[in-house]
Protein backbone atom coordinates (compact mmCIF):
# COMPACT_ATOMS: atom_id res chain seq x y z
CA UNK A 1 0.00 0.00 0.00
CA UNK A 2 1.39 3.39 -1.04
CA UNK A 3 0.06 6.46 0.78
CA UNK A 4 1.60 8.92 -1.69
CA UNK A 5 0.02 9.93 -5.00
CA UNK A 6 1.93 9.12 -8.13
CA UNK A 7 2.29 11.89 -10.70
CA UNK A 8 -0.95 11.04 -12.51
CA UNK A 9 -2.95 10.81 -9.26
CA UNK A 10 -1.50 14.08 -7.99
CA UNK A 11 -2.56 15.81 -11.20
CA UNK A 12 -6.06 14.42 -10.91
CA UNK A 13 -6.28 15.50 -7.26
CA UNK A 14 -5.30 19.04 -8.26
CA UNK A 15 -7.93 19.00 -11.01
CA UNK A 16 -10.68 17.94 -8.59
CA UNK A 17 -9.62 20.44 -5.94
CA UNK A 18 -9.51 23.29 -8.47
CA UNK A 19 -12.89 22.33 -9.91
CA UNK A 20 -14.56 22.43 -6.50
CA UNK A 21 -12.98 25.80 -5.67
CA UNK A 22 -14.15 27.30 -8.97
CA UNK A 23 -17.56 25.66 -9.37
CA UNK A 24 -19.17 25.15 -5.96
CA UNK A 25 -22.12 27.58 -5.76
CA UNK A 26 -21.92 30.42 -3.25
CA UNK A 27 -25.02 29.05 -1.51
CA UNK A 28 -23.06 25.97 -0.39
CA UNK A 29 -19.98 28.02 0.42
CA UNK A 30 -22.08 30.06 2.82
CA UNK A 31 -23.45 26.92 4.47
CA UNK A 32 -19.94 25.53 4.93
CA UNK A 33 -18.77 28.85 6.37
CA UNK A 34 -21.44 29.01 9.07
CA UNK A 35 -21.78 25.30 9.65
CA UNK A 36 -19.34 23.18 11.56
CA UNK A 37 -18.43 19.52 10.97
CA UNK A 38 -21.34 17.24 11.78
CA UNK A 39 -24.01 19.78 10.89
CA UNK A 40 -27.24 18.79 9.15
CA UNK A 41 -27.47 21.41 6.37
CA UNK A 42 -26.49 20.96 2.74
CA UNK A 43 -28.65 17.99 1.70
CA UNK A 44 -28.55 18.26 -2.09
CA UNK A 45 -31.64 16.14 -2.72
CA UNK A 46 -33.70 18.11 -0.20
CA UNK A 47 -32.44 21.37 -1.68
CA UNK A 48 -33.40 20.24 -5.18
CA UNK A 49 -36.84 18.94 -4.19
CA UNK A 50 -38.22 20.95 -1.29
CA UNK A 51 -35.68 23.72 -0.76
CA UNK A 52 -36.08 27.47 -1.11
CA UNK A 53 -35.79 28.98 -4.60
CA UNK A 54 -32.19 29.87 -3.76
CA UNK A 55 -31.45 26.31 -2.61
CA UNK A 56 -33.03 24.80 -5.72
CA UNK A 57 -31.07 27.08 -8.00
CA UNK A 58 -27.80 26.21 -6.27
CA UNK A 59 -28.57 22.48 -6.31
CA UNK A 60 -29.32 22.62 -10.02
CA UNK A 61 -26.21 24.67 -10.74
CA UNK A 62 -24.00 22.21 -8.83
CA UNK A 63 -25.56 19.19 -10.55
CA UNK A 64 -25.02 20.80 -13.96
CA UNK A 65 -21.40 21.63 -13.16
CA UNK A 66 -20.64 18.08 -12.07
CA UNK A 67 -22.52 16.64 -15.07
CA UNK A 68 -20.29 18.50 -17.52
CA UNK A 69 -17.34 16.58 -16.05
CA UNK A 70 -19.19 13.27 -15.73
CA UNK A 71 -18.61 13.50 -11.99
CA UNK A 72 -22.15 13.06 -10.71
CA UNK A 73 -21.59 9.33 -11.16
CA UNK A 74 -17.81 8.82 -11.14
CA UNK A 75 -18.18 5.02 -11.29
CA UNK A 76 -20.55 4.88 -14.28
CA UNK A 77 -19.21 4.29 -17.81
CA UNK A 78 -18.63 7.45 -19.83
CA UNK A 79 -21.12 6.37 -22.52
CA UNK A 80 -23.92 6.84 -19.98
CA UNK A 81 -22.68 10.17 -18.67
CA UNK A 82 -20.47 8.84 -15.90
CA UNK A 83 -16.87 9.55 -15.07
CA UNK A 84 -15.48 6.13 -15.95
CA UNK A 85 -13.04 6.55 -13.08
CA UNK A 86 -10.69 3.90 -11.81
CA UNK A 87 -11.12 2.88 -8.15
CA UNK A 88 -8.20 5.10 -7.13
CA UNK A 89 -9.63 8.08 -9.00
CA UNK A 90 -12.98 7.53 -7.28
CA UNK A 91 -11.16 7.47 -3.95
CA UNK A 92 -9.34 10.74 -4.65
CA UNK A 93 -12.53 12.37 -5.92
CA UNK A 94 -14.52 11.41 -2.83
CA UNK A 95 -11.68 12.38 -0.54
CA UNK A 96 -11.47 15.87 -2.01
CA UNK A 97 -15.26 16.30 -2.00
CA UNK A 98 -15.36 15.34 1.67
CA UNK A 99 -12.48 17.64 2.58
CA UNK A 100 -14.28 20.54 0.87
CA UNK A 101 -17.66 19.50 2.39
CA UNK A 102 -19.14 19.75 -1.10
CA UNK A 103 -22.52 17.97 -1.33
CA UNK A 104 -22.79 14.75 -3.29
CA UNK A 105 -25.33 14.80 -6.12
CA UNK A 106 -27.77 12.11 -7.21
CA UNK A 107 -28.38 10.17 -4.00
CA UNK A 108 -29.40 6.53 -4.23
CA UNK A 109 -30.42 7.03 -7.85
CA UNK A 110 -26.73 7.23 -8.70
CA UNK A 111 -25.22 4.89 -6.13
CA UNK A 112 -27.84 2.14 -6.22
CA UNK A 113 -30.40 2.37 -9.01
CA UNK A 114 -28.01 3.47 -11.74
CA UNK A 115 -25.55 0.75 -10.90
CA UNK A 116 -28.37 -1.80 -11.00
CA UNK A 117 -29.71 -0.55 -14.33
CA UNK A 118 -26.28 -0.77 -15.90
CA UNK A 119 -26.28 -4.52 -15.20
CA UNK A 120 -29.92 -5.56 -15.38
CA UNK A 121 -31.73 -2.83 -17.30
CA UNK A 122 -32.42 -2.98 -21.03
CA UNK A 123 -31.19 -0.24 -23.31
CA UNK A 124 -34.56 1.53 -23.38
CA UNK A 125 -34.60 1.69 -19.57
CA UNK A 126 -31.04 3.00 -19.43
CA UNK A 127 -31.88 5.75 -21.90
CA UNK A 128 -35.07 6.67 -20.04
CA UNK A 129 -33.74 6.82 -16.49
CA UNK A 130 -29.98 7.38 -16.37
CA UNK A 131 -29.60 10.81 -17.97
CA UNK A 132 -32.47 12.47 -16.02
CA UNK A 133 -31.00 11.04 -12.82
CA UNK A 134 -27.65 12.67 -13.57
CA UNK A 135 -29.37 16.00 -14.23
CA UNK A 136 -31.27 15.81 -10.96
CA UNK A 137 -34.65 15.64 -12.71
CA UNK A 138 -35.34 12.16 -11.34
CA UNK A 139 -34.70 12.00 -7.59
CA UNK A 140 -35.05 8.53 -6.14
CA UNK A 141 -36.31 6.84 -2.99
CA UNK A 142 -35.57 3.23 -2.12
CA UNK A 143 -38.61 1.05 -1.36
CA UNK A 144 -37.10 -2.00 0.31
CA UNK A 145 -37.83 -2.33 4.06
CA UNK A 146 -41.29 -3.16 5.40
CA UNK A 147 -42.78 -3.39 8.92
CA UNK A 148 -42.00 -7.12 8.99
CA UNK A 149 -38.99 -7.11 6.69
CA UNK A 150 -36.03 -5.03 7.77
CA UNK A 151 -32.78 -6.89 8.28
CA UNK A 152 -34.56 -9.98 6.93
CA UNK A 153 -35.54 -8.15 3.75
CA UNK A 154 -36.45 -11.30 1.85
CA UNK A 155 -39.54 -11.61 4.08
CA UNK A 156 -41.16 -8.63 2.34
CA UNK A 157 -44.87 -9.01 1.58
CA UNK A 158 -45.95 -5.97 -0.47
CA UNK A 159 -47.67 -7.59 -3.46
CA UNK A 160 -47.36 -6.84 -7.14
CA UNK A 161 -49.95 -8.73 -9.21
CA UNK A 162 -49.69 -8.84 -13.00
CA UNK A 163 -52.73 -7.44 -14.81
CA UNK A 164 -52.18 -7.28 -18.55
CA UNK A 165 -49.48 -4.72 -19.30
CA UNK A 166 -49.35 -3.51 -15.71
CA UNK A 167 -48.59 -4.64 -12.18
CA UNK A 168 -51.02 -3.74 -9.41
CA UNK A 169 -49.23 -3.09 -6.11
CA UNK A 170 -50.72 -3.21 -2.63
CA UNK A 171 -48.94 -3.02 0.71
CA UNK A 172 -46.66 -0.89 2.86
CA UNK A 173 -43.00 0.06 3.01
CA UNK A 174 -41.18 1.44 6.03
CA UNK A 175 -38.06 3.60 6.54
CA UNK A 176 -38.35 5.03 3.02
CA UNK A 177 -35.80 7.70 3.82
CA UNK A 178 -35.99 9.94 0.76
CA UNK A 179 -39.68 9.53 -0.12
CA UNK A 180 -40.60 13.10 0.90
CA UNK A 181 -37.95 14.58 -1.39
CA UNK A 182 -38.18 12.20 -4.36
CA UNK A 183 -40.30 11.97 -7.49
CA UNK A 184 -39.39 8.38 -8.42
CA UNK A 185 -39.02 5.19 -6.41
CA UNK A 186 -37.29 1.87 -6.97
CA UNK A 187 -38.11 -1.15 -4.89
CA UNK A 188 -38.70 -4.85 -4.52
CA UNK A 189 -42.16 -6.37 -4.46
CA UNK A 190 -43.48 -9.91 -4.11
CA UNK A 191 -44.85 -11.25 -7.37
CA UNK A 192 -45.08 -14.95 -6.39
CA UNK A 193 -46.29 -15.47 -2.81
CA UNK A 194 -45.92 -19.25 -3.08
CA UNK A 195 -42.21 -19.23 -3.94
CA UNK A 196 -39.42 -19.50 -1.33
CA UNK A 197 -38.86 -16.09 0.23
CA UNK A 198 -35.71 -15.20 -1.71
CA UNK A 199 -37.57 -16.01 -4.91
CA UNK A 200 -40.85 -14.62 -6.14
CA UNK A 201 -39.60 -11.04 -5.68
CA UNK A 202 -39.43 -8.53 -8.54
CA UNK A 203 -37.58 -5.22 -8.87
CA UNK A 204 -39.55 -2.24 -10.26
CA UNK A 205 -39.38 1.51 -10.63
CA UNK A 206 -42.33 3.91 -10.47
CA UNK A 207 -43.31 7.56 -10.60
CA UNK A 208 -44.12 8.79 -7.08
CA UNK A 209 -47.11 10.72 -8.46
CA UNK A 210 -48.78 7.47 -9.55
CA UNK A 211 -52.29 7.32 -8.04
CA UNK A 212 -52.43 5.17 -4.91
CA UNK A 213 -48.99 6.03 -3.52
CA UNK A 214 -49.03 7.96 -0.25
CA UNK A 215 -46.21 9.09 2.02
CA UNK A 216 -46.48 9.52 5.78
CA UNK A 217 -43.58 11.19 7.61
CA UNK A 218 -41.76 9.57 10.50
CA UNK A 219 -40.31 12.22 12.82
CA UNK A 220 -37.15 11.12 14.58
CA UNK A 221 -36.43 11.60 18.27
CA UNK A 222 -34.24 14.50 17.17
CA UNK A 223 -37.35 16.22 15.70
CA UNK A 224 -36.13 15.65 12.18
CA UNK A 225 -38.20 14.47 9.23
CA UNK A 226 -35.66 11.93 8.17
CA UNK A 227 -37.70 9.00 6.89
CA UNK A 228 -41.22 7.86 6.00
CA UNK A 229 -43.83 5.17 5.69
CA UNK A 230 -45.11 4.63 2.16
CA UNK A 231 -48.43 2.99 1.28
CA UNK A 232 -49.54 1.39 -1.98
CA UNK A 233 -53.24 1.04 -2.76
CA UNK A 234 -53.95 -0.46 -6.17
CA UNK A 235 -50.92 1.30 -7.64
CA UNK A 236 -50.65 0.50 -11.36
CA UNK A 237 -47.10 0.29 -12.69
CA UNK A 238 -46.37 -0.36 -16.39
CA UNK A 239 -44.83 -3.78 -16.93
CA UNK A 240 -41.94 -2.24 -18.89
CA UNK A 241 -40.78 -0.70 -15.60
CA UNK A 242 -39.85 -4.15 -14.32
CA UNK A 243 -36.05 -4.28 -14.09
CA UNK A 244 -34.62 -7.67 -14.97
CA UNK A 245 -36.71 -10.83 -14.87
CA UNK A 246 -39.96 -11.30 -13.00
CA UNK A 247 -39.44 -13.22 -9.73
CA UNK A 248 -35.68 -12.65 -9.93
CA UNK A 249 -35.74 -9.24 -8.27
CA UNK A 250 -33.80 -10.33 -5.21
CA UNK A 251 -30.72 -10.89 -7.36
CA UNK A 252 -31.32 -7.58 -9.14
CA UNK A 253 -31.71 -5.71 -5.85
CA UNK A 254 -28.47 -6.89 -4.35
CA UNK A 255 -26.45 -5.76 -7.37
CA UNK A 256 -24.06 -2.94 -6.57
CA UNK A 257 -21.50 -1.83 -9.14
CA UNK A 258 -20.05 0.92 -7.00
CA UNK A 259 -17.33 -1.09 -5.30
CA UNK A 260 -15.67 2.06 -3.95
CA UNK A 261 -16.39 1.04 -0.35
CA UNK A 262 -13.45 2.65 1.38
CA UNK A 263 -15.67 5.05 3.38
CA UNK A 264 -13.06 7.77 3.08
CA UNK A 265 -15.79 10.44 3.36
CA UNK A 266 -16.87 9.03 6.72
CA UNK A 267 -13.29 8.99 7.97
CA UNK A 268 -12.81 12.63 7.00
CA UNK A 269 -16.13 13.68 8.55
CA UNK A 270 -15.13 12.18 11.89
CA UNK A 271 -11.61 13.60 11.78
CA UNK A 272 -12.96 17.08 11.07
CA UNK A 273 -15.36 16.81 14.01
CA UNK A 274 -12.56 15.80 16.38
CA UNK A 275 -10.28 18.60 15.15
CA UNK A 276 -13.07 21.12 15.66
CA UNK A 277 -13.82 19.75 19.13
CA UNK A 278 -10.18 20.05 20.18
CA UNK A 279 -9.95 23.56 18.74
CA UNK A 280 -13.05 24.67 20.62
CA UNK A 281 -12.13 23.31 24.05
CA UNK A 282 -8.87 25.26 23.78
CA UNK A 283 -10.76 28.52 23.18
CA UNK A 284 -11.98 30.88 25.90
CA UNK A 285 -15.61 29.93 25.21
CA UNK A 286 -14.79 26.24 25.26
CA UNK A 287 -12.93 26.48 28.58
CA UNK A 288 -15.88 28.34 30.07
CA UNK A 289 -18.40 25.75 28.92
CA UNK A 290 -16.32 22.77 29.99
CA UNK A 291 -15.47 24.24 33.39
CA UNK A 292 -18.40 22.44 34.97
CA UNK A 293 -18.51 19.70 32.37
CA UNK A 294 -16.12 16.84 31.94
CA UNK A 295 -12.95 18.01 30.22
CA UNK A 296 -10.66 16.23 32.65
CA UNK A 297 -12.73 13.06 32.52
CA UNK A 298 -13.13 13.14 28.73
CA UNK A 299 -9.57 14.11 27.79
CA UNK A 300 -8.53 10.46 27.46
CA UNK A 301 -11.60 9.65 25.34
CA UNK A 302 -10.82 12.49 22.95
CA UNK A 303 -7.29 11.15 22.48
CA UNK A 304 -8.66 7.65 21.96
CA UNK A 305 -11.12 8.88 19.33
CA UNK A 306 -8.37 10.73 17.51
CA UNK A 307 -6.27 7.57 17.32
CA UNK A 308 -9.34 5.63 16.15
CA UNK A 309 -10.01 8.20 13.43
CA UNK A 310 -6.47 7.74 12.14
CA UNK A 311 -6.97 3.96 12.15
CA UNK A 312 -10.15 4.41 10.17
CA UNK A 313 -8.49 6.81 7.73
CA UNK A 314 -5.71 4.33 7.06
CA UNK A 315 -8.14 1.42 6.83
CA UNK A 316 -9.81 3.32 3.98
CA UNK A 317 -6.45 3.31 2.20
CA UNK A 318 -6.19 -0.44 2.74
CA UNK A 319 -9.57 -1.05 1.11
CA UNK A 320 -8.90 1.17 -1.90
CA UNK A 321 -5.48 -0.42 -2.41
CA UNK A 322 -7.24 -3.80 -2.63
CA UNK A 323 -9.69 -2.48 -5.19
CA UNK A 324 -6.92 -0.92 -7.23
CA UNK A 325 -5.45 -4.44 -7.52
CA UNK A 326 -8.78 -5.86 -8.66
CA UNK A 327 -9.75 -7.36 -5.29
CA UNK A 328 -13.36 -6.78 -4.20
CA UNK A 329 -13.56 -6.07 -0.45
CA UNK A 330 -15.92 -8.29 1.47
CA UNK A 331 -15.58 -8.45 5.23
CA UNK A 332 -13.25 -5.45 4.99
CA UNK A 333 -16.17 -3.26 3.87
CA UNK A 334 -18.24 -4.56 6.80
CA UNK A 335 -15.39 -3.76 9.17
CA UNK A 336 -15.14 -0.22 7.83
CA UNK A 337 -18.89 0.39 8.06
CA UNK A 338 -19.21 -0.92 11.61
CA UNK A 339 -16.06 0.80 12.88
CA UNK A 340 -17.09 4.17 11.44
CA UNK A 341 -20.66 4.22 12.71
CA UNK A 342 -19.75 3.07 16.21
CA UNK A 343 -16.89 5.59 16.40
CA UNK A 344 -19.28 8.38 15.41
CA UNK A 345 -21.61 7.37 18.24
CA UNK A 346 -18.78 7.30 20.78
CA UNK A 347 -17.53 10.69 19.63
CA UNK A 348 -20.96 12.31 19.91
CA UNK A 349 -21.38 10.92 23.44
CA UNK A 350 -18.00 12.34 24.41
CA UNK A 351 -19.05 15.71 22.98
CA UNK A 352 -22.17 15.97 25.12
CA UNK A 353 -20.42 14.72 28.27
CA UNK A 354 -17.71 17.27 27.74
CA UNK A 355 -20.08 20.23 27.95
CA UNK A 356 -22.19 18.93 30.81
CA UNK A 357 -25.53 20.71 31.25
CA UNK A 358 -24.84 22.97 28.27
CA UNK A 359 -25.50 19.92 26.11
CA UNK A 360 -29.19 20.18 26.99
CA UNK A 361 -29.41 23.16 24.64
CA UNK A 362 -30.79 22.04 21.29
CA UNK A 363 -31.00 25.40 19.53
CA UNK A 364 -27.85 25.96 17.40
CA UNK A 365 -28.46 29.74 17.51
CA UNK A 366 -28.58 29.98 21.29
CA UNK A 367 -25.84 31.88 23.11
CA UNK A 368 -25.62 28.89 25.44
CA UNK A 369 -25.22 26.19 22.77
CA UNK A 370 -21.77 24.60 22.71
CA UNK A 371 -20.48 24.35 19.15
CA UNK A 372 -23.91 25.12 17.71
CA UNK A 373 -25.33 22.08 19.53
CA UNK A 374 -23.75 19.81 16.93
CA UNK A 375 -22.84 17.03 19.35
CA UNK A 376 -26.23 17.21 21.07
CA UNK A 377 -27.95 16.67 17.73
CA UNK A 378 -25.56 14.12 16.27
CA UNK A 379 -25.78 12.08 19.48
CA UNK A 380 -29.45 11.53 18.71
CA UNK A 381 -29.19 11.27 14.93
CA UNK A 382 -26.27 8.83 15.09
CA UNK A 383 -28.38 6.16 16.79
CA UNK A 384 -29.64 4.96 13.41
CA UNK A 385 -26.14 4.79 11.90
CA UNK A 386 -25.50 1.32 13.35
CA UNK A 387 -28.85 0.08 12.01
CA UNK A 388 -29.24 1.62 8.55
CA UNK A 389 -27.33 0.06 5.69
CA UNK A 390 -26.88 -3.22 7.55
CA UNK A 391 -26.88 -3.34 11.33
CA UNK A 392 -23.71 -3.84 13.35
CA UNK A 393 -24.98 -7.30 14.28
CA UNK A 394 -25.13 -8.27 10.61
CA UNK A 395 -21.69 -6.77 9.99
CA UNK A 396 -20.24 -8.78 12.89
CA UNK A 397 -21.71 -11.97 11.42
CA UNK A 398 -20.06 -11.19 8.06
CA UNK A 399 -16.72 -10.46 9.73
CA UNK A 400 -16.96 -13.66 11.79
CA UNK A 401 -17.91 -16.01 8.96
CA UNK A 402 -16.14 -14.50 5.95
CA UNK A 403 -13.23 -12.81 7.67
CA UNK A 404 -12.40 -15.12 10.57
CA UNK A 405 -13.81 -18.33 9.08
CA UNK A 406 -15.98 -19.07 12.10
CA UNK A 407 -18.84 -21.56 11.65
CA UNK A 408 -22.44 -20.41 11.30
CA UNK A 409 -24.98 -21.05 14.02
Amino acid sequence: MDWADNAEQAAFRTEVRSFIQESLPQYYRDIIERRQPGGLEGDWQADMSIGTPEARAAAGEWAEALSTKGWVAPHWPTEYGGGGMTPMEQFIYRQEMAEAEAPAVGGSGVTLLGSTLLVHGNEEQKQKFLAPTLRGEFRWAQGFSEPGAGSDLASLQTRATRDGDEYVINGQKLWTSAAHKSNWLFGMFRTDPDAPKHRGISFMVMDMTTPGISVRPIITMGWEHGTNETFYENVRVPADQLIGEENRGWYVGVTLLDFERSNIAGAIEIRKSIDWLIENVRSDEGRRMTEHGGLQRQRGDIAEHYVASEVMFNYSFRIISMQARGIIPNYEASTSKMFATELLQRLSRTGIKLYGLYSNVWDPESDHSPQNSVFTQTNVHSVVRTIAGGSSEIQRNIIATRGLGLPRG
Side-chain angles (χ1 to χ4, degrees):
M1 184 170 70
D2 189 350
W3 279 266
D5 291 339
N6 61 31
E8 185 177 350
Q9 292 163 355
F12 180 69
R13 186 182 298 278
T14 299
E15 179 186 359
V16 174
R17 192 173 295 173
S18 299
F19 172 82
I20 295 171
Q21 291 173 348
E22 296 169 3
S23 304
L24 187 65
Q26 188 61 46
Y27 173 82
Y28 289 113
R29 296 179 190 275
D30 292 342
I31 288 177
I32 294 167
E33 180 67 26
R34 67 175 180 265
R35 183 186 64 185
Q36 301 296 344
L40 301 174
E41 291 184 283
D43 181 330
W44 175 86
Q45 189 158 336
D47 290 341
M48 193 76 175
S49 303
I50 55 178
T52 63
E54 182 186 11
R56 292 186 186 188
E61 179 186 344
W62 184 226
E64 182 178 356
L66 288 171
S67 293
T68 61
K69 301 283 288 186
W71 288 358
V72 173
H75 56 292
W76 289 11
T78 55
E79 58 263 37
Y80 292 106
M85 293 184 189
T86 66
M88 188 58 71
E89 288 172 335
Q90 292 179 51
F91 180 84
I92 292 170
Y93 170 76
R94 287 186 169 87
Q95 185 179 6
E96 291 302 318
M97 289 281 282
E99 289 284 5
E101 298 184 59
V105 169
S108 61
V110 167
T111 58
L112 297 179
L113 176 67
S115 299
T116 301
L117 281 175
L118 288 168
V119 175
H120 297 284
N122 57 43
E123 191 59 32
E124 182 179 350
Q125 291 169 335
K126 294 174 186 177
Q127 294 299 326
K128 179 177 181 179
F129 296 114
L130 293 181
T133 298
L134 291 178
R135 294 193 298 267
E137 297 169 6
F138 289 0
R139 298 172 297 280
W140 295 85
Q142 181 186 44
F144 281 13
S145 296
E146 297 182 5
S151 297
D152 183 17
L153 182 59
S155 296
L156 64 88
Q157 295 299 317
T158 298
R159 289 289 308 278
T161 304
R162 185 68 180 256
D163 182 19
D165 293 333
E166 298 177 314
Y167 288 93
V168 181
I169 300 178
N170 284 279
Q172 177 188 358
K173 296 287 182 180
L174 193 63
W175 314 124
T176 316
S177 297
H180 61 299
K181 51 189 178 183
S182 301
N183 53 12
W184 278 79
L185 177 141
F186 62 91
M188 293 193 286
F189 305 89
R190 188 160 299 282
T191 43
D192 185 352
D194 299 320
K197 68 178 186 178
H198 284 85
R199 302 177 185 177
I201 294 173
S202 296
F203 190 103
M204 302 177 192
V205 299
M206 64 196 70
D207 189 329
M208 290 284 287
T209 64
T210 305
I213 299 178
S214 58
V215 178
R216 181 184 300 171
I218 298 175
I219 307 302
T220 71
M221 60 183 176
W223 305 319
E224 178 190 27
H225 180 188
T227 189
N228 311 270
E229 297 175 281
T230 48
F231 298 87
Y232 308 80
E233 300 179 61
N234 295 319
V235 177
R236 290 188 168 270
V237 176
D240 62 5
Q241 291 177 196
L242 170 75
I243 308 299
E245 299 179 35
E246 182 176 275
N247 297 327
R248 298 282 294 175
W250 177 262
Y251 310 100
V252 175
V254 298
T255 296
L256 185 62
L257 270 187
D258 183 9
F259 289 125
E260 206 291 279
R261 301 177 184 176
S262 68
N263 199 18
I264 185 62
I268 291 173
E269 175 190 350
I270 290 175
R271 190 190 64 190
K272 280 177 170 284
S273 294
I274 296 172
D275 287 340
W276 184 48
L277 179 62
I278 293 172
E279 177 185 346
N280 190 73
V281 298
R282 288 173 172 170
S283 68
D284 291 340
E285 179 187 21
R287 284 195 292 269
R288 175 180 64 81
M289 288 188 168
T290 59
E291 182 180 0
H292 301 293
L295 179 56
Q296 296 304 319
R297 293 188 298 274
Q298 303 305 319
R299 194 186 299 271
D301 287 342
I302 295 174
E304 182 180 322
H305 299 333
Y306 196 93
V307 171
S309 73
E310 288 298 303
V311 171
M312 182 181 168
F313 192 82
N314 282 278
Y315 198 79
S316 296
F317 277 90
R318 176 188 175 185
I319 291 177
I320 199 61
S321 68
M322 294 171 60
Q323 293 172 298
R325 299 196 307 271
I327 303 171
I328 298 175
N330 191 289
Y331 73 89
E332 294 89 353
S334 293
T335 302
S336 176
K337 193 271 183 187
M338 185 184 73
F339 190 87
T341 54
E342 293 187 357
L343 175 57
L344 179 63
Q345 290 178 342
R346 293 196 301 273
L347 173 60
S348 64
R349 288 196 296 269
T350 295
I352 61 173
K353 291 177 182 177
L354 186 66
Y355 293 111
L357 292 176
Y358 284 103
S359 292
N360 288 321
V361 180
W362 275 81
D363 183 3
E365 305 300 325
S366 170
D367 293 337
H368 304 291
S369 67
Q371 299 189 252
N372 308 113
S373 299
V374 161
F375 291 101
T376 300
Q377 296 196 20
T378 56
N379 184 58
V380 174
H381 296 303
S382 68
V383 171
V384 73
R385 294 288 192 100
T386 51
I387 302 171
S391 69
S392 287
E393 290 76 14
I394 290 176
Q395 306 309 324
R396 285 186 169 86
N397 284 340
I398 293 172
I399 295 166
T401 56
R402 300 179 186 177
L404 300 176
L406 298 177
R408 293 181 179 272

